[in-house]
Amino acid sequence: MATLARASAVVLWIALGCASASQAPSVEPATASAASRVEADVAALCDPAMEGRLTGTEGEQRATEYVARAFEQIGLAPGGRDGSFFQPFEFTAGVSLGAGNALQSSRRGAAREYAVDADWRPLAFSKTGDAPAAAVVFAGYGIVAPPNGAVPAYDSYAGLDVRGRWVLVLRHAPQDVAPEWRQHWSRYASLRHKLMLARDRGAQGVLIASGPRSGVRNELVPLAPDLAAGGSSSIFALSLADAPPEAWLAEAGRSLDALQAALDRGETPPGFEIPALRVAARVDLVQELRSGRNVLGRLRTGRGVDAAPVLVGAHVDHLGRGLEGASLAREDERGLVHPGADDNASGVAAVIEIAREVAAQARARPDAFARDVLFAAWSGEEVGLIGSTAFASELPDAAATHGAPRRIAAVLNLDMVGRFRAHLILQGVGSSPAWPSLIESAKASRALPVVLEDESYLPTDATSFYLKGIPVLSAFTGVHDDYHTPRDTPDKLNYGGLAATADLFAGITEALAERTELLEYSAPSQTPLPPRAGLRVYLGTIPSYGEAAGEGLLLSGVAPGGPAEKAGIRGGDRVVELAGHAIENVYDYTYALETLAVGQPVPITVLRGGERLRLTVTPGSRE
């Protein structure tokens, strides 16, 4: 499951019974119990050969091949591209250092060269190209924060002119202060936010040092892309080891350690330009493109060829060895395979089992179904719902579904359904008024306790379809301490509960496939908050968190009837300016939203089809 807030060694989970990757999936319902079948599928998807199923890797290829074989043996027809079971897609998988990176400093004729990846490293979202020699201004922690009750305002830029200069700032926020102070100031301490502040003050770039009192294990910021935030910045951003800034400040009669100590106590010593120092850089970053693929199989019922199919899906990808994603592994687990048994081999095993059960019903009752059923294993979920978004991008926008035929009847999604304890959580119930009765009918003959949740904006693939005006229902058994770690292993799953979940969703799938009428879609009254909560204003815009390339912030859609739609904003627009604030990523957008007031119109500029449109939007209230 993408975006929620730990493993034994590889030999341990191999010993727990992962099946060979070449083992054929079980097919016929009569050959084994459902619990044994889903256990075998989970084991195969967690096989060492799958290497954690990271999108765009050989492990993902093997995992998707396994699912395609299962679909074929069940009797599904290929639903992918060119008569295959696969739908390929491209995505930006990472950033690497090019050959042209360089950093130099000069002071009164004495020049120094610094080694990339040892003395310094560009941030993954830095501007690329040549940064001419410029002065360096020290700005403490680089934070600007308003007062909050007893917490005073904080302004690292007070009295500083940073136009055309480098801004040297420390990572994180002051540490030796009251917890409520630290908590408030830390909210304004992300690297993206610090970069935005420097950019808006005209700086050429930001130099980021950890500082000797930071306690970090690695002084340099990892070269990891933040796919959810958007692409590169318009200014340079470099991470420095402590040695270069310590030397620069010592030559000016200052101490980085002493400065950080004062700042950590909550003091706000004025910033200053480091005399006679000039720094120049060349940043060369290579965007790494990879290909992933979804698996699609269609159960043709005979009557549903022309009708919108029911879609049942789960994401097949996971984190590989946790080096390129949101791993929560402990330090001693770094680099170990993250098998992702619950997240989300469990969901894929459930989808395969649902396909077995529904296909068996279709054979037993060939005239019962009014529409086909499309089964999917999405990839790219962990890096931003990329696979399901690639599929959903070909569907009409939500606004069009009010008058145009819906191309998908409803979506059932299963993500992390292997740790059944007291009950199954069913999310997305608010996306259609029909869900409660359908669920109640399906579970009437099944002893499976459920909890219903209306929330339909979810950190999983269902959201890709809800934004397109399609009712969604997503199953979930809860987060746990093994989430996104090498300890999410097959031995920890409740296979009886997993089989029961698959059986419940098979019943719901059959009921949906038997319906000639479409489920009513409930349009959202709110949109999900960007990465930081606490916003009062409401625009009804839905950022595309999985899209990194391109100018501004891409919108996946807008809420029907919301302020954005009324202003003429559409899904597919790129927001480049809001209320006078330049927008390069979702962080810029969040901070701009915090400046708005309910009912006060503000200008917003979007890019649409290469044209720059200046519109006016009037924020509503979330409350």
Side-chain angles (χ1 to χ4, degrees), residues 420 422-426 429 435-452 473 500-511:
F420 181 86
H423 51 252
L424 177 68
I425 304 166
L426 298 182
V429 177
W435 284 129
S437 61
L438 280 167
I439 295 166
E440 185 62 33
S441 177
K443 78 180 187 69
S445 59
R446 298 169 172 90
L448 185 67
V450 301
V451 171
L452 306 187
L473 185 68
T501 297
D503 184 52
L504 174 66
F505 266 53
I508 296 172
T509 302
E510 292 160 16

Side-chain angles (χ1 to χ4, degrees), residues 32 43 57 457 616:
T57 65
Y457 287 114
T616 299

Side-chain angles (χ1 to χ4, degrees), residues 551-552 554 572-576 605-613:
E551 183 178 356
L554 178 66
D573 286 349
R574 289 180 176 273
V575 181
V576 294
T605 302
V606 301
L607 292 179
R608 181 185 303 161
E611 184 181 359
R612 204 174 187 92
L613 302 177

Side-chain angles (χ1 to χ4, degrees), residues 101 216 282 286 360 435 438 444 458 471 497 536 539 544 559 621:
N101 287 287
V216 297
R282 179 183 303 120
V286 179
W435 284 129
L438 280 167
L458 306 168
R536 184 186 172 210
L539 294 190
S544 177
S621 174

Side-chain angles (χ1 to χ4, degrees), residues 179-211:
E180 59 271 23
W181 291 31
R182 185 167 56 249
Q183 181 183 47
H184 178 61
W185 291 345
S186 293
R187 187 172 176 230
Y188 299 87
S190 74
L191 294 178
R192 284 278 193 174
H193 191 205
K194 294 181 181 185
L195 197 63
M196 179 191 71
L197 292 176
R199 179 202 68 197
D200 290 349
R201 286 158 175 77
Q204 171 174 276
V206 176
L207 304 170
I208 300 157
S210 297

Side-chain angles (χ1 to χ4, degrees), residues 593-612:
L593 287 174
E594 290 182 328
T595 70
L596 307 185
V598 174
Q600 295 186 10
V602 293
I604 184 169
T605 302
V606 301
L607 292 179
R608 181 185 303 161
E611 184 181 359
R612 204 174 187 92

Side-chain angles (χ1 to χ4, degrees), residues 92-103:
T92 301
V95 178
S96 59
L97 296 175
N101 287 287
L103 180 66

Side-chain angles (χ1 to χ4, degrees), residues 118-317:
D119 298 319
W120 74 286
R121 179 187 295 149
L123 270 62
F125 45 83
S126 173
K127 177 182 179 180
T128 57
D130 290 317
V136 178
V137 175
F138 180 71
Y141 275 103
I143 293 172
V144 175
N148 183 37
V151 184
Y154 195 98
D155 189 354
S156 296
Y157 286 89
L160 286 182
D161 181 4
V162 300
R163 289 174 294 181
R165 296 167 169 81
W166 292 99
V167 181
L168 173 61
V169 301
L170 294 166
R171 285 168 73 179
H172 311 304
Q175 294 301 298
D176 302 330
V177 293
E180 59 271 23
W181 291 31
R182 185 167 56 249
Q183 181 183 47
H184 178 61
W185 291 345
S186 293
R187 187 172 176 230
Y188 299 87
S190 74
L191 294 178
R192 284 278 193 174
H193 191 205
K194 294 181 181 185
L195 197 63
M196 179 191 71
L197 292 176
R199 179 202 68 197
D200 290 349
R201 286 158 175 77
Q204 171 174 276
V206 176
L207 304 170
I208 300 157
S210 297
R213 295 175 174 266
S214 65
V216 297
R217 291 189 178 95
N218 300 298
E219 293 179 0
L220 296 180
V221 177
L223 187 65
D226 185 356
L227 297 179
S232 300
S233 175
S234 58
I235 67 172
F236 296 95
L238 315 182
S239 174
L240 302 180
D242 288 345
E246 283 176 337
W248 298 341
L249 289 164
E251 291 169 355
R254 304 266 191 162
S255 163
L256 182 60
D257 182 81
L259 287 166
Q260 188 172 27
L263 290 162
D264 278 352
R265 292 192 296 267
E267 299 175 17
T268 53
F272 56 89
E273 181 175 328
I274 303 176
L277 177 66
R278 296 292 182 272
V279 170
R282 179 183 303 120
V283 175
D284 183 8
L285 294 173
V286 179
Q287 299 288 331
E288 180 185 355
L289 292 177
R290 291 185 195 167
S291 293
R293 63 182 187 180
N294 300 320
V295 189
L296 298 164
R298 190 168 186 132
L299 177 63
R300 297 205 178 275
T301 65
R303 294 177 56 202
V305 174
D306 298 322
V310 179
L311 176 56
V312 183
H315 77 88
V316 69
D317 65 303

